Amino acid sequence: MNDLTQAPVRDAAYNFAYLDEQTKRMIRRALLKAVAVPGYQVPFGGREMPLPYGWGTGGMQLTAAILGDDDVLKVIDQGADDTTNAVSIRRFFARTAGVETTESTPDATVIQTRHRIPETPLHADQIMVYQVPIPEPLRFIEPSETETRTMHALNDYGVMHVKLYEDIATFGHIATAYAYPVMVDERYVMDPSPIPKFDNPKLDMSPALMLFGAGREKRLYAVPPFTRVTSLDFEDHPFEAQKWEECCAICGSRESFLDELILDDAGTQSFVCSDTYYCAQRVSQQEQGQ
Amino acid sequence: MSAQLLQPAFADPVLDAQRGFRAALKALAGPGLIQTLQPTPSLEGLEPATYALCLALLDVDTPLWLAPSFDTPLIRANLAFHCGCPLTAKREDAGFALLAADDLLDLSGFDHGNDRYPDQSCTLLVQLPSLDGGAGLKWRGPGIESEHGVALPVADGFWRERERRIEFPRGLDLFFAAGHDLIGLPRSTRIAEERA
């Protein structure tokens, strides 16, 4: 946690937030178009970042393009502030941009996330930046980019419903548990990045601006605040988020997304909150209450 | 190009450009809400917000179309020097365009993008004397919780022209600038018929 307690000092050997200005302008222009056409994937000239694809290069390029010196950055990986990916990216921007970093969800102005939306409600003036591996929701059904682009252009999403229906035919329910496809403002089908479907309802009419960046695929897209985002479903098989019978072993929450831990060879299970800030907040509130 | 033509641009090119962009992003993500830019330089003919948008967004990759009222040696020289953007006389080639209120009645020629690549459309930067005082209209759509009442001082004909030019996802995105203030109007915003 040392990187949080020390005041960040910007390494002047790098341009502010690492990327050069022309790259930032290119990404910024693409972001404006992404906001103007919610859910549409804008191609951009993705740059190589000093870490491998799959580690959040798309999200980092977006964060680098939007970040200012008065921003407060939070980075989470599967809900946790203290995992390798989150710590590395936070330190990267503390060093290259000298921005303040935080683990607190309400205090952050920019939240870069890998695969979760924080449990604490977001507010206006916050920007969520999602790391996206495969931005095209139709890719596993139709491998050709030319074809999927035409399908988006023609608003032709029948195959997506066929895929969900095949789930119902095989398993009796829609088996997709993460990266659950959504319809944005009744026009574009969008991959919400591999967040659990538990988080999908948080996208709908959120007061925060949501930006999505895929570095390998060089695509970015956006959901503006207060935009209708509906998870695809059927009248007789409505969308349903995960639920647990257990509660968090640390804070006792029954509302949050739980990670399953296997404790021994006998398969003893325990469940804990995936959102570490939310869990720690609840624990400290409970301690104060005693 | 004489030296007197050149005027100062952003004092801090990196962070001022970032602030200009964030104001534009917020304006487009919350259509109809006024965003105020920090003090930035202006140019004769270009007010601070308009100039800041140009400095923040234009570069060698963005051909710019200038409406006749902005086509002055001073503006040409400074945008060429600070942004390096090519100027084009053909609306079809423009990635960005600078317009005044009078130019809003004819938006023909500007690229609307296509169904596969709606992002290839032109972005219009419109400089107005103020962002208030016109007929009040109700704006709805993405970025707007219920509705925003906006009274841009533009002719009625503009709204009909905009309607004609939008076949979502194709369309034109606009920024209205006056003084230090900015309002965004993305193609996704639906303008209600009834008056606010």
Side-chain angles (χ1 to χ4, degrees), chain A residues 117-129:
Chain A
I117 299 176
E119 307 287 358
T120 315
L122 302 170
H123 56 78
D125 297 334
Q126 282 183 318
I127 301 180
M128 289 283 295
V129 177

Side-chain angles (χ1 to χ4, degrees), chain B:
Chain B
M1 181 190 302
S2 84
Q4 287 81 14
L5 272 180
L6 294 183
Q7 304 279 318
F10 286 145
D12 183 340
V14 172
L15 290 175
D16 285 345
Q18 185 271 342
R19 290 183 200 110
F21 160 71
R22 278 287 280 273
L25 181 68
K26 219 171 161 191
L28 214 55
L33 294 182
I34 291 179
Q35 304 299 326
T36 302
L37 286 156
Q38 292 187 348
T40 48
S42 60
L43 210 58
E44 195 189 322
L46 282 189
E47 295 198 28
T50 324
Y51 194 30
L53 280 177
C54 292
L55 292 171
L57 299 175
L58 303 181
D59 62 23
V60 67
D61 292 330
T62 54
L64 175 70
W65 183 87
L66 290 174
S69 54
F70 295 106
D71 197 355
T72 65
L74 184 81
I75 291 176
R76 278 178 165 262
N78 280 281
L79 292 182
F81 180 76
H82 293 297
C83 306
C85 57
L87 296 172
T88 175
K90 284 165 72 182
R91 290 182 169 198
E92 290 78 7
D93 295 341
F96 283 82
L98 256 177
L99 296 93
D102 304 340
D103 306 310
L104 288 172
L105 294 177
D106 174 20
L107 300 178
S108 61
F110 293 118
D111 194 348
H112 303 173
N114 57 65
D115 284 327
R116 282 191 174 79
Y117 292 97
D119 58 297
Q120 290 172 355
S121 63
C122 183
T123 305
L124 309 182
L125 312 176
V126 185
Q127 181 166 292
L128 298 176
S130 91
L131 296 181
D132 206 0
L137 294 171
K138 288 177 180 171
W139 293 16
R140 296 195 180 90
I144 302 172
E145 189 169 7
S146 51
E147 59 184 32
H148 287 160
V150 188
L152 286 174
V154 293
D156 277 353
F158 161 68
W159 300 107
R160 287 192 294 276
E161 179 72 0
R162 176 179 182 268
E163 204 63 33
R164 250 160 40 85
R165 302 283 162 200
I166 291 180
E167 181 94 43
F168 195 87
R170 285 173 286 152
L172 296 167
D173 307 312
L174 294 95
F175 288 101
F176 294 98
H180 287 86
D181 295 339
L182 198 61
I183 279 183
L185 175 58
R187 67 194 79 174
S188 57
T189 298
R190 299 176 269 271
I191 311 287
E193 288 291 320
E194 81 262 40
R195 296 296 159 102

Side-chain angles (χ1 to χ4, degrees), chain A residues 70-72 74 102 104-111 117-130 202 204-210 223-226 277, chain B residues 22 26 29 145:
Chain A
D70 51 354
D71 275 314
V72 181
K74 171 182 165 87
T102 183
S104 157
T105 304
D107 293 344
T109 56
V110 175
I111 304 176
I117 299 176
E119 307 287 358
T120 315
L122 302 170
H123 56 78
D125 297 334
Q126 282 183 318
I127 301 180
M128 289 283 295
V129 177
Y130 295 76
K202 296 179 195 164
D204 184 41
M205 295 302 275
S206 167
L209 170 63
M210 314 275 184
V223 176
F226 303 116
Y277 168 77
Chain B
R22 278 287 280 273
K26 219 171 161 191
E145 189 169 7

Side-chain angles (χ1 to χ4, degrees), chain A residues 210-225:
Chain A
M210 314 275 184
L211 306 177
F212 299 78
R216 188 194 292 114
E217 305 277 328
K218 299 173 177 53
R219 295 286 185 276
L220 58 84
Y221 49 103
V223 176

Side-chain angles (χ1 to χ4, degrees), chain A residues 36-206:
Chain A
V37 190
Y40 163 74
Q41 301 165 51
V42 184
F44 75 104
R47 300 293 190 249
E48 278 203 53
M49 297 299 279
L51 79 174
Y53 288 137
W55 287 63
T57 54
M60 283 174 78
Q61 289 178 76
L62 264 50
T63 302
I66 63 174
L67 212 57
D69 59 350
D70 51 354
D71 275 314
V72 181
L73 178 69
K74 171 182 165 87
V75 185
I76 50 174
D77 172 7
Q78 302 276 10
D81 291 277
D82 54 2
T83 49
T84 313
N85 197 209
V87 171
S88 305
I89 293 173
R90 202 162 51 224
R91 283 180 56 186
F92 177 85
F93 284 113
R95 179 173 166 195
T96 58
V99 291
E100 198 185 326
T101 58
T102 183
E103 293 192 0
S104 157
T105 304
D107 293 344
T109 56
V110 175
I111 304 176
Q112 182 172 333
T113 174
R114 176 175 176 271
H115 308 359
R116 270 317 304 281
I117 299 176
E119 307 287 358
T120 315
L122 302 170
H123 56 78
D125 297 334
Q126 282 183 318
I127 301 180
M128 289 283 295
V129 177
Y130 295 76
Q131 302 172 198
V132 183
I134 297 172
E136 178 52 74
L138 305 166
R139 181 63 70 239
F140 292 105
I141 306 166
E142 172 53 64
S144 156
E145 169 69 12
T146 325
E147 288 300 319
T148 52
R149 200 156 270 278
T150 307
M151 289 156 80
H152 284 294
L154 298 177
N155 203 348
D156 172 14
Y157 295 124
V159 284
M160 187 52 100
H161 279 99
V162 171
K163 189 208 168 254
L164 297 176
Y165 171 74
E166 282 176 353
D167 266 12
I168 293 170
T170 313
F171 306 109
H173 62 98
I174 297 175
T176 307
Y178 66 96
Y180 191 105
V182 295
M183 176 70 88
V184 180
D185 198 38
E186 295 177 5
R187 177 57 181 83
Y188 279 99
V189 165
M190 184 188 91
D191 178 355
S193 86
I195 57 173
K197 67 176 177 179
F198 177 88
D199 284 342
N200 273 21
K202 296 179 195 164
L203 288 166
D204 184 41
M205 295 302 275
S206 167

